[in-house]
Amino acid sequence: MVFDVIVIGSGVAGLTTAFGLSKGGKKVAVIESTFFGGVVYNVGSTRKKELVTIAQHALQNQRFEAHGITTPVELDWQDTMNWIDSIEGDEDNQHQLALKEAGITTIFGTATFVSPNEVKVDGIVYSAEQFVIASGGADRPFTFEGSNYLSDSAAFLTQKELPKTALFIGAGIISFAFTTIAAAFGCNVIVLQHDSQALKNFDQEFVSQLIEINKKRAVSFHFNESVKKIEKTEKGLLRVQTEAGEVFEVDQVYNVAGRVPLIDSLKLENAQVLYDAHGIDTNEYLQTNQSHIFACGDCSNAKVPKLATFAAYQADYLVSYLLKKELAPIHYPMASMSIFSEPRIAQVGVSTEQALAKPEEYAVEEMDISKWMDAKRKSENTALLKIVTRRSDDRVAGAAVMSQEADIFINYITMALHAEWTKDDLKKQIYAYPSLVNDMTRFWK
């Protein structure tokens, strides 16, 4: 069968590309080896945020026990998972149906290139004028003894029973979200990190405070620790031994140490496409060394965060480029990022670390926003804001926020950055009252 474009992968990047090109008149096929909709919709961020929301409400209610909410909240994992399954349980079928209704051919199976213009799936060869590889990523593999006992993030987000004790390998974005969830539901959590730093791309002062908050929830952190081996005990527990000689016995061990490009099965060498351990080589047009083959999302080596928002942005660009509506190189706007923990940390633009390294160019203003109206009405004990401004023109250049609604607040700052507002411009806006961003205009001196 011959198509205008074959898209390999049906996650955020793949779906966005396929729907956009089909709407533009292209004959499109999508090849998927697991479930249509990819990780994000089926066993990833969507379910994670729903679980975080439940945990967040429970933790907030705990803070209000002395302020009028007198009945302690009890969380039930099975009830929560049943609710999430009722919302998200049929994502695979829904995305398959949506693709077919859009006139897009769906092919289930593992795609392997047999030539630069052909892929094979279950013995059938398909060809196309152009290919978009959006195969996503997979959990970083480990080879230590007993690595077969590891569970992945998908298992955590779909399990019907939460273990009483759990160990998370990794102290990144996913780990902190899972830690918030597991601890709120009564699981005793241990976090191992191979080096001395957690969430290295975020404000480290905020990260340190987030770690201390988690410690008060009985979460145990161990830095500069790598797993040497895992073995099962006679009681059915998993005994984890670290390279430094520490031993932990837990019910479950989860690999949340980051993700790697999912490209091995593609046999890219048959298409003469260049790649390395960081992903498929692409240029400023998301084009590989083969001019008709493109890559976007987690499988590419583009120097941007491996996040769904960037994958969708790349896919939108590819749609415009392949339909010849946009022929300029891809340009990434200033983008915000957030950790879905409790509290949350979010940031955008010039980081506080970058600003402090260039004091002649940037100023950093720090504010304890726990005294603001919005924070007080939520009984937030820890809520902080750092604003980075350019000294030359007083324009806002970046921000970092730590609060219960940091992800929402940072989006307001992001829009201010795109508008190139100064501090005074930001303060002159009229926002809904009471709200976090309105408080900033009232309390920011």
Side-chain angles (χ1 to χ4, degrees):
M1 296 182 67
V2 181
F3 296 91
D4 293 329
V5 183
I6 289 178
V7 179
I8 301 175
S10 69
V12 171
L15 287 178
T16 303
T17 304
F19 283 122
L21 292 178
S22 178
K23 188 176 181 180
K26 298 283 188 179
K27 183 182 179 183
V28 180
V30 173
I31 302 173
E32 176 55 61
S33 62
T34 54
F35 26 63
F36 286 84
V39 169
V40 168
Y41 292 115
N42 288 275
V43 291
S45 296
T46 302
R47 298 178 74 94
K48 176 188 73 179
K49 290 173 185 176
E50 288 159 354
L51 280 166
V52 167
T53 299
I54 294 290
Q56 187 177 40
H57 281 300
L59 292 169
Q60 183 167 337
N61 282 346
Q62 288 177 13
R63 295 197 298 269
F64 275 93
E65 285 181 6
H67 309 301
I69 296 179
T70 57
T71 302
V73 172
E74 294 183 5
L75 296 182
D76 186 291
W77 182 267
Q78 289 186 340
D79 285 348
T80 300
M81 292 307 296
N82 289 338
W83 170 66
I84 292 175
D85 285 343
S86 71
I87 301 172
E88 311 296 346
D90 201 30
E91 289 288 339
D92 178 61
N93 288 331
Q94 290 178 25
H95 283 103
Q96 285 192 65
L97 180 61
L99 287 165
K100 290 176 181 177
E101 288 179 345
I104 298 168
T105 300
T106 56
I107 303 167
F108 184 79
T110 300
T112 58
F113 279 95
V114 294
S115 75
N117 295 95
E118 298 171 307
V119 292
K120 182 185 291 186
V121 182
D122 290 337
I124 301 174
V125 175
Y126 302 90
S127 60
E129 293 181 8
Q130 295 172 316
F131 291 84
V132 174
I133 304 173
S135 52
D139 290 316
R140 186 180 305 279
F142 286 103
T143 57
F144 54 72
E145 182 183 345
S147 58
N148 56 295
Y149 290 118
L150 289 173
S151 297
D152 59 15
S153 57
F156 179 85
L157 292 169
T158 57
Q159 60 195 349
K160 301 306 178 185
E161 291 187 16
L162 184 69
K164 293 181 180 178
T165 56
L167 185 147
F168 295 109
I169 301 176
I173 291 177
I174 297 174
S175 180
F176 273 85
F178 286 7
T179 295
T180 290
I181 294 164
F185 276 86
C187 176
N188 292 320
V189 176
I190 298 168
V191 177
L192 295 189
Q193 173 65 14
H194 70 93
D195 59 18
S196 62
Q197 197 172 35
L199 298 167
K200 64 180 180 180
N201 294 322
F202 288 83
D203 184 284
Q204 287 300 294
E205 183 179 349
F206 290 175
V207 172
S208 294
Q209 293 197 44
L210 181 59
I211 289 172
E212 292 305 313
I213 290 170
N214 275 288
K215 285 181 179 179
K216 292 177 182 177
R217 297 172 185 157
V219 177
S220 176
F221 289 88
H222 300 264
F223 291 95
N224 297 307
E225 289 278 14
S226 298
V227 176
K228 181 178 182 180
K229 69 176 181 178
I230 301 175
E231 54 189 356
K232 184 165 276 191
T233 70
E234 293 180 357
K235 295 181 179 180
L237 296 174
L238 296 179
R239 180 181 290 121
V240 180
Q241 181 180 328
T242 71
E243 294 287 354
E246 289 275 1
V247 176
F248 307 95
E249 289 191 356
V250 295
D251 295 307
Q252 204 83 14
V253 181
Y254 298 96
N255 175 9
V256 288
R259 293 172 70 78
V260 296
L262 186 59
I263 57 177
D264 288 349
S265 63
L266 293 171
K267 303 297 181 186
L268 293 169
E269 58 274 13
N270 293 339
Q272 300 171 32
V273 170
L274 299 177
Y275 65 95
D276 59 22
H278 301 290
I280 300 169
D281 290 347
T282 56
N283 62 15
E284 57 192 353
Y285 301 94
L286 303 182
Q287 192 175 40
T288 70
N289 59 297
Q290 294 285 358
S291 61
H292 66 291
I293 301 177
F294 301 79
C296 60
D298 290 1
C299 68
S300 83
N301 66 358
K303 308 302 182 189
V304 296
K306 303 300 186 184
L307 298 173
T309 47
F310 281 89
Y313 187 87
Q314 290 176 332
D316 282 332
Y317 167 81
L318 272 183
V319 170
S320 295
Y321 184 81
L322 294 177
L323 294 178
K324 302 188 184 305
K325 294 180 180 179
E326 172 59 77
L327 299 179
I330 189 168
H331 172 73
Y332 296 98
M334 201 169 293
S336 56
M337 297 190 298
S338 178
I339 303 162
F340 284 88
S341 56
E342 171 58 25
R344 298 174 182 179
I345 299 176
Q347 64 185 40
V348 67
V350 176
S351 70
T352 52
E353 182 181 16
Q354 292 170 329
L356 292 173
K358 297 181 178 180
E360 72 288 349
E361 187 173 347
Y362 298 106
V364 179
E365 188 173 352
E366 302 182 25
M367 287 164 273
D368 180 356
I369 62 177
S370 65
K371 304 297 188 294
W372 291 9
M373 173 88 63
D374 191 76
K376 286 196 293 185
R377 68 185 176 89
K378 294 171 189 160
S379 192
E380 286 194 79
N381 297 321
T382 304
L384 302 162
L385 170 65
K386 295 181 182 181
I387 294 285
V388 178
T389 53
R390 282 203 304 261
R391 293 188 185 278
S392 60
D393 55 13
D394 209 30
R395 295 191 187 280
V396 180
V401 191
M402 182 178 185
S403 75
Q404 187 175 315
E405 294 185 348
D407 55 320
I408 297 173
F409 193 22
I410 205 68
N411 285 335
Y412 286 107
I413 303 294
T414 301
M415 287 187 282
L417 287 171
H418 286 298
E420 297 187 339
W421 285 350
T422 64
K423 283 178 19 177
D424 284 341
D425 291 331
L426 193 59
K427 290 171 65 177
K428 288 176 182 177
Q429 311 308 310
I430 298 177
Y431 299 101
Y433 173 86
S435 66
L436 180 57
V437 70
N438 177 74
D439 284 348
M440 183 177 69
T441 65
R442 297 176 63 242
F443 290 95
W444 192 5
K445 297 179 182 179

